[in-house]
Amino acid sequence: MSKKEVETTGHSWDGIEEYNNPLPRWWLIIWYICIIWGIGYTIAMPAWPLVKGATEGVLGWSTRAQVAEKIASFEEMNAGVEAELAAADVTEVMPGSDVYNYAVNMGASVFRANCSQCHGSGAQGNVGYPTLLDNDWLWGGTIDEIAYTVQHGVRNETDDARYSEMPKFGADELLEPEQIDQVVEFVMSLSDPDGDGTNISGHSYDAALASDGAVVFEENCASCHGEDGTGDIYQGAPNLTDAIWLYGGNRDTIHETVTYARFGVMPAWGLRLSQAEVNAAALYVHQLGGGQ
């Protein structure tokens, strides 16, 4: 019995013909099953994109709902300790307690989601945004003072916000240009304990101009920053005698600050976060080591 020749498709390339072999039956069966399964999946599960969303599927399942269910289960588990945190006096939450440990972990998440964009992921701060790791705090760095600042913010439109405002001595023509030059030199001299013409930030200054600037400072700046320039944290007036500068301590930056002033704003997080989240953020920030 002779072997049956396989038919060709009639196509030929450079003398090479294409056989017309049928697809393996097992492969066809699997292919048909996949088609049927695919049609069933698009009916049962979310599949087809629409203008706003996608088809829901007859089973109504979604990853978003699954995540929401898991979040709800964790919230239910933590409801007791979170309620205790919300009602707590932050000054009385003891380190090592269940509430404190929960607050620090929760506060880390709150900080990363809401505060790190300005203060940095490690709370190290940036130009215009204070570091939260040292002891130089306007409006106080105790745990209750930090909690108040987080709750009400700084220089925002709420009634209870921390508030201070520096005059625009140059833009509003409160001082003459030469007076601004004088007071800038005097401010730079305040952080020179040795009086050798170079302050602790490494910047030199003009001693003659600084001497004239002392009078300008006393008449225009001492009411907030103090006669010795050490500031008043509860007025929001920074210490000018150290090396900590929010916007920079070089001559040009100080000149710009005196001329146009600064007006940094912090949101009132109490309007956006729950009381438990506010307390958690305060406790987290405080345990980083800054403040008092």
Side-chain angles (χ1 to χ4, degrees):
M1 183 175 178
S2 63
K3 185 177 180 181
K4 184 179 179 181
E5 288 291 329
V6 179
E7 295 181 358
T8 67
T9 61
H11 299 158
S12 177
W13 293 273
D14 294 334
I16 301 173
E17 295 182 326
E18 179 184 18
Y19 284 127
N20 190 21
N21 283 319
L23 293 171
R25 186 176 298 275
W26 64 267
W27 191 93
L28 284 172
I29 292 172
I30 293 175
W31 185 46
Y32 293 140
I33 291 174
C34 288
I35 292 174
I36 296 170
W37 179 87
I39 294 172
Y41 183 90
T42 60
I43 295 173
M45 305 293 286
W48 296 102
L50 303 174
V51 177
K52 294 182 179 179
T55 55
E56 295 182 359
V58 296
L59 297 181
W61 182 90
S62 74
T63 54
R64 186 181 296 272
Q66 188 179 47
V67 170
E69 184 179 342
K70 289 185 178 181
I71 291 173
S73 67
F74 281 108
E75 288 178 345
E76 184 178 354
M77 284 192 307
N78 295 322
V81 67
E82 189 164 330
E84 190 174 349
L85 174 60
D89 180 344
V90 289
T91 62
E92 297 180 359
V93 179
M94 299 302 296
S97 66
D98 290 342
V99 174
Y100 183 86
N101 293 336
Y102 177 78
V104 170
N105 284 283
M106 179 183 186
S109 297
V110 173
F111 185 90
R112 285 192 293 268
N114 300 281
C115 315
S116 62
Q117 295 86 343
C118 294
H119 292 286
S121 59
Q124 74 278 8
N126 207 332
V127 176
Y129 305 101
T131 176
L132 306 177
L133 304 177
D134 61 17
N135 295 325
D136 196 74
W137 287 70
L138 294 181
W139 293 290
T142 63
I143 181 60
D144 54 325
E145 289 166 337
I146 294 173
Y148 186 96
T149 302
V150 174
Q151 180 85 28
H152 300 291
V154 178
R155 301 187 193 94
N156 54 56
E157 296 179 354
T158 62
D159 294 336
D160 296 320
R162 306 284 197 188
Y163 201 91
S164 66
E165 185 171 0
M166 177 177 173
K168 301 176 183 178
F169 286 104
D172 292 340
E173 299 181 351
L174 300 175
L175 294 177
E176 298 295 330
E178 59 270 20
Q179 291 178 303
I180 293 177
D181 292 338
Q182 292 166 355
V183 79
V184 167
E185 298 301 317
F186 176 73
V187 168
M188 295 182 68
S189 74
L190 288 172
S191 56
D192 177 15
D194 300 325
D196 60 2
T198 302
N199 61 27
I200 56 178
S201 298
H203 302 296
S204 60
Y205 60 90
D206 187 311
L209 284 178
S211 178
D212 295 332
V215 177
V216 180
F217 184 90
E218 182 179 359
E219 293 176 350
N220 297 274
C221 314
S223 58
C224 292
H225 292 284
E227 293 182 0
D228 58 357
T230 53
D232 182 352
I233 62 172
Y234 297 108
Q235 285 194 70
N239 183 359
L240 305 177
T241 67
D242 58 20
I244 300 173
W245 294 85
L246 186 57
Y247 294 93
N250 60 62
R251 179 177 287 101
D252 291 340
T253 303
I254 296 175
H255 195 284
E256 183 177 353
T257 298
V258 174
T259 303
Y260 300 106
R262 306 289 182 176
F263 198 79
V265 176
M266 174 180 171
W269 289 108
L271 301 179
R272 309 186 188 190
L273 304 176
S274 68
Q275 189 60 53
E277 289 174 319
V278 168
N279 291 348
L283 287 163
Y284 170 75
V285 168
H286 186 261
Q287 62 84 43
L288 289 174
Q292 292 89 37

